[in-house]
Amino acid sequence: MKSAVETLNPTRVRLTVEVPFEELKDSLDAAYKKINQQVTVKGFRKGKIPARIIDQRFGRGAVLEEAVNDALPKFYTEAVNGAELDVLGQPEVDITELKDGETLNFTAEVDIRPVLDLPEDFSSIEVEVDAVEVSDEDVEKSVEQLRERFASTSPVERAAEEGDVVTVDLEAKVDGEVLEDGVADGVSYTIGSGELLEGIDDAVKGLEAGGETTFTSELKGGSAAGQQAEVTVKVTQVAARELPELDDEFAQLASEFDTLEELKADSRKRLANMKQYDQATQAQERVLEKLLELVEVPVPEKLLEDEINTRKHNLEHHQLGQMGLDLEKYLELQGKTVEEFETETREAAVKGIKTQFVLDELVKREKLNVNQEELTEHLMRRAASSGMSPDQFAQAVVEGGQVPLLVGEVARGKALAVVVESATVKDTNGEIIDLDDEEDTEEAAEATTEDAAASVESTEDKPEA
């Protein structure tokens, strides 16, 4: 077999392959054997029909077609490996010549990962991030949120007010008809929380137990999601929320600390840790943006189209579907036009592909490996964010053949961490930030690359004649 490579552009090549006919022998034998098992000819046992009889009855062309379909993947893969190409997606194959007993010639056009020119070092990259500052107001807000969690309620005989917990019965009608899933009794709702229907706060404020009113609201979910409904709400109980006193007794109730001051000190420490992680994430994002500016990355058009379609599909059929929204309603809520949405999706897809190309190249150059412990830790984080148990998530990953994708995510996170370590990171106060916690840096980098990267994998899909 002989093959040659023609570069069509930085991300696409054409392979020209010439195969001597004798190299098709194994595929021809397999073709005759397969046809033998599929057909019957009077006078011959199934599977024992001579090749010349198959040629006479069914045509030599049918045999050649079967043989070529069997052989093409092997010869294509040999040509790809011989040229050391990093191919993406399925090739477009064209059989240019097939002479029985002489030769098989074909071409295969396929996208490839572009050759990238990465900087030798990344010390020229400099970014600014928010300073880590925890104010007394931040601490008070954190403690107040904890206090809210330990609030108690007690029924009161008065009209409902902001912050009260009301128990209500609801009935929703659309076009005068009660919806099958539009009735709910005994629903507990905190006035002002915004966790139920738009307009319900104004409707129930001022009502005592036994009071009833009707208001109009757009339904957020269910069979009539997105439609205007006439909602009847009946208050069956009004309860006032009582917050515990902020004192040492509360600290002992809500935490492992003996005093309120110790609780506040711990809250300040936890808030600082959270802001440090946010700062590290911000550093990854801004370093990544600078890195992409330094490297020229051509993007395969077909790959870009596929990535755009994948992102749209995931948004419409998974994220929005779970929220009971369609794309039109989503854009309305976001205040975006279709054109703005298309532009943003395309820009995000381009950035995702470029991110993956650059970081994968860096993984290769730096010879970065992923060990089992790193993969397990990443899997645990992904499981937590997905709402699944680690065992469930791991099983889904293995069954879906997604282990290489997770390995890639970890490796790209390590690659970005390498760049961040070389870059200069300053906060808004002008202080140089030393992101010296390697584990936290890589964890934040993994999160950053997960958000940015595309669904790009090197593939050698089987071509067909």
Side-chain angles (χ1 to χ4, degrees), residues 168-173 178-187 232:
V168 297
D169 297 338
L170 298 166
E171 180 184 85
K173 294 180 181 179
V178 178
L179 300 171
E180 288 186 10
D181 54 355
V183 177
D185 294 334
V187 177
T232 299

Side-chain angles (χ1 to χ4, degrees), residues 277 280-281 284 377-378 381 413-414 417 437-450:
Y277 182 84
T281 301
Q284 320 298 332
E377 290 175 354
H378 182 62
R381 289 193 291 270
K414 297 179 74 169
D437 189 330
E438 184 176 335
E439 183 176 338
D440 283 352
T441 300
E442 289 184 4
E443 180 180 336
E446 286 169 22
T448 300
T449 55
E450 284 168 35

Side-chain angles (χ1 to χ4, degrees), residues 8 12-17 72 76 80 87-96 106-111 301-303 305-306 461-465:
L8 303 178
R12 194 165 180 83
V13 297
R14 178 188 292 122
L15 287 162
T16 301
V17 183
L72 272 179
Y76 167 73
V80 165
V87 299
L88 300 165
Q90 189 168 351
E92 295 179 5
V93 176
D94 181 29
I95 297 175
T96 55
F106 68 91
T107 62
E109 288 190 17
V110 67
D111 287 331
E301 193 59 38
K302 177 64 167 60
L303 183 64
E305 291 176 11
D306 291 343
D461 292 307
K462 294 182 178 181
E464 295 182 355

